[in-house]
Structure formats: structure tokens, C-alpha cells
């Protein structure tokens, strides 16, 4: 079964408009693994000419940038613009004897550390969501994978009990009865899936920072090129068609550039 990650899905959606605006062919080269570190490391070593860019979950890299060996988004890359924030969720295999987030809490507390959940990898926002649940008394066994697609495949094959993943990937499988969608991890209900309750309905105080996506270039990118790219990305995101498609993909538009992008990185990093 083929799964497209939210990074790949939104990159292709945006590239359709950016090709026209920039007059350049855009080649998307997926480099999954290590929660975005592999792709970021490659771009950090590329020539800063504006032709090689990184599109990734910037929040995940920002959260880990103080760790030894991690990419520093302000030193090793050039921030260009944030694009959107994804909605994450908690899903269960269909034969697991529960049907709600409340029942998951009860089952996990009766069996601490026995229920397994798959994530996109160590240090990913999905992994950190599981860690936050553990700190709040819901102990689950973490099984890291090299991206959201392998984690979803593992869940559907019965390799894991649960997954913390992107809502965009979970919704089609839920509609086909292949998994149970228990909750979204944001504080409030998501307009694109109003029937799915947030974790906070049964676990007050749960607050996972938003997983935002953004564009980066190699270090020391020319300021004029940076500004031009940010302007075109912002113009693309102002399209009602693009904003509608992002919502349909369980994403919320979230554009910022320049000093705002730098502050976003610092604020995200300071939470961890």
C-alpha cells in the first residue's frame, strides 16, 4: 500500500503554483529518515544559489537543534518561510478492544507500557506526543519508523497497536474501516474533521506544540533571493484554491517569513 506523507503531499501541491511563478522546473526528492535530519543535512551542504531548497517539518528540527549533532536551523540553513501546520491524530488498529480516547487511557493505565505505538521516528513530533502522554500517566511502548508511511503500514499490518500520525494519512483508512480514529492532538477540534474530538476532552492540560512546515535553503543564501522566494511562497498561499486544498489535506495555512520565521524557530526550540 502506498502512503504519501504530508510533506510530500503539500510539496507537490505548492510546487504546481511555484513552477509557474518562478519559471523553473521543480524536482521533488524525498529523503525520509531521522525525523527530517537526513534531508536537512544534505541541503545544509549544498550550494546556496536558490536552486536547492529543503521543505520539511521545521518544528521537528527546531525541537532537536540543541542536541549534539543536530541541524541548527539558523546556523546550518537559511530560513525562508513557513507554509502550514499539520493536524496530528491518534489511531488504533481496528481489532483493538477500544473505541474512544477515554477507553485508550483506561486500557493503557491498566497495562502500562504494553500497548505499542508507531511514529515517524525518534525525535519526531509524533514521538514527542507519545512522550507527553507518558508524562501525563499514559505509558505506551514507542516503536520508531523511518517516516509516517512505514509507521502506518506497520499499524495496518498489525505490527503495532496504535500510531500517532498525520490526520491526512489516517482519514482515508478510517473511512474504509481499516483503523479507528480516536482523537486529534491539537487543543481544539479541527474544522476539516469536526467529528473527531481533541485529546484535551479526556486529558485536560495536554498541549502539544503545532507541527509547522517550512522552506529552507543552504546557509548564507543571498538576501534578495531569500526575499523573492518568500514573496512567491506567500503569494501561492494567498490563493483560495491552495488554502482550500490544504484544509482538505488536514493542514492549516501558516505563512511567515523574515524575522517572523526566525522568531518561530526560536519559540519552537525554547519549548524543548
Amino acid at each position: 500500500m502506498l502512503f504519501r506523507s504530508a510533506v510530500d503531499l503539500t510539496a507537490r501541491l505548492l510546487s504546481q503554483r511555484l513552477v509557474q511563478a518562478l519559471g523553473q522546473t521543480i524536482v521533488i526528492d524525498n529523503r525520509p529518515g531521522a525525523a527530517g535530519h537526513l534531508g536537512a543535512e544534505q541541503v545544509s551542504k549544498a550550494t546556496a544559489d536558490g536552486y536547492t531548497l529543503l521543505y520539511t517539518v521545521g518544528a521537528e528540527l527546531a525541537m532537536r537543534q540543541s542536541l549534539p549533532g543536530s541541524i541548527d536551523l539558523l546556523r546550518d540553513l537559511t530560513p525562508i518561510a513557513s507554509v502550514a501546520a499539520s493536524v496530528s491524530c491518534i489511531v488504533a488498529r481496528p481489532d483493538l478492544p477500544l473505541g474512544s480516547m477515554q477507553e485508550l487511557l483506561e486500557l493503557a493505565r491498566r497495562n502500562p507500557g504494553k500497548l505499542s505505538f508507531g511514529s515517524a521516528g525518534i525525535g519526531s513530533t509524533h514521538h514527542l506526543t507519545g512522550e507527553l502522554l507518558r508524562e501525563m500517566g499514559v505509558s505506551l511502548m514507542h516503536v520508531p519508523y523511518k517516516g509516517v508511511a512505514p509507521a502506518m503500514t506497520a499499524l495496518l499490518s498489525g505490527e503495532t497497536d496504535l500510531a500517532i500520525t498525520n490526520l491526512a494519512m489516517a482519514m482515508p483508512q478510517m473511512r474504509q474501516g481499516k483503523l479507528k480514529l480516536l482523537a486529534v492532538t491539537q487543543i481544539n477540534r479541527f474544522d476539516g474533521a469536526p467529528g473527531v474530538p481533541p485529546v484535551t476532552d479526556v486529558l485536560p492540560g495536554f498541549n502539544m506544540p503545532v507541527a509547522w512546515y517550512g522552506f529552507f535553503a543552504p546557509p548564507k543564501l543571498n538576501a534578495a533571493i531569500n526575499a523573492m522566494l518568500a514573496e512567491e511562497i506567500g503569494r501561492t498561499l494567498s490563493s483560495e484554491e491552495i488554502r482550500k486544498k490544504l484544509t482538505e489535506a488536514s493542514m492549516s495555512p501558516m505563512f511567515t517569513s523574515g524575522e517572523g520565521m526566525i522568531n518561530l524557530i526560536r519559540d519552537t526550540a525554547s519549548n524543548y
Side-chain angles (χ1 to χ4, degrees):
M1 183 175 294
L2 177 64
F3 290 103
R4 289 175 60 187
S5 70
V7 172
D8 179 74
L9 189 153
T10 51
R12 295 183 187 282
L13 174 62
L14 296 168
S15 68
Q16 295 171 7
R17 286 295 185 97
L18 290 174
V19 163
Q20 300 172 8
L22 300 173
Q24 298 287 337
T25 299
I26 295 178
V27 177
I28 297 174
D29 182 10
N30 285 302
R31 295 296 176 103
H37 179 84
L38 297 182
E41 186 175 40
Q42 182 181 12
V43 172
S44 72
K45 298 174 181 177
T47 302
D49 55 9
Y51 289 95
T52 300
L53 303 178
L54 172 70
Y55 178 66
T56 189
V57 187
E60 292 185 346
L61 295 175
M63 289 173 185
R64 304 197 315 274
Q65 67 180 17
S66 63
L67 300 176
S70 296
I71 292 289
D72 186 309
L73 296 180
L74 301 180
R75 180 194 65 212
D76 302 322
L77 294 167
T78 302
I80 299 175
S82 66
V83 169
S86 70
V87 179
S88 296
C89 62
I90 300 173
V91 293
R93 54 185 172 86
D95 60 334
L96 203 63
L98 53 83
S100 68
M101 189 65 198
Q102 180 61 49
E103 291 177 353
L104 170 59
L105 299 188
E106 295 169 358
L107 184 61
R109 285 167 175 163
R110 290 197 306 268
N111 302 276
K114 292 185 177 180
L115 292 175
S116 60
F117 81 95
S119 80
I122 294 174
S124 67
T125 53
H126 300 149
H127 170 213
L128 296 177
T129 298
E131 288 300 305
L132 179 57
L133 287 171
R134 181 182 59 79
E135 291 178 2
M136 300 184 74
V138 186
S139 180
L140 304 171
M141 181 177 68
H142 179 223
V143 184
Y145 291 91
K146 293 182 178 180
V148 289
M152 284 294 288
T153 299
L155 176 67
L156 295 179
S157 67
E159 191 174 308
T160 55
D161 300 309
L162 307 155
I164 300 176
T165 187
N166 299 322
L167 183 62
M169 297 190 74
M171 289 292 284
Q173 308 305 319
M174 183 272 291
R175 294 189 184 108
Q176 296 177 43
K178 295 181 179 180
L179 55 76
K180 298 175 182 177
L181 182 49
L182 304 180
V184 292
T185 61
Q186 61 183 40
I187 296 177
N188 302 310
R189 291 178 186 253
F190 175 58
D191 290 343
V196 184
V199 173
T200 50
D201 275 11
V202 295
L203 200 61
F206 179 89
N207 184 13
M208 189 66 200
V210 65
W212 55 266
Y213 294 58
F215 280 99
F216 299 83
K220 300 180 181 179
L221 178 70
N222 178 276
I225 296 176
N226 189 336
M228 181 272 292
L229 290 170
E231 182 180 1
E232 293 300 343
I233 292 167
R235 186 175 291 115
T236 295
L237 288 172
S238 68
S239 162
E240 285 301 320
E241 178 187 3
I242 293 295
R243 297 176 74 86
K244 179 181 178 182
K245 287 183 177 180
L246 283 172
T247 301
E248 291 171 351
S250 302
M251 306 281 285
S252 301
M254 180 182 172
F255 176 74
T256 185
S257 62
E259 198 65 31
M261 177 72 159
I262 292 172
N263 289 336
L264 175 62
I265 293 168
R266 288 175 174 160
D267 289 346
T268 303
S270 69
N271 288 325
Y272 290 86

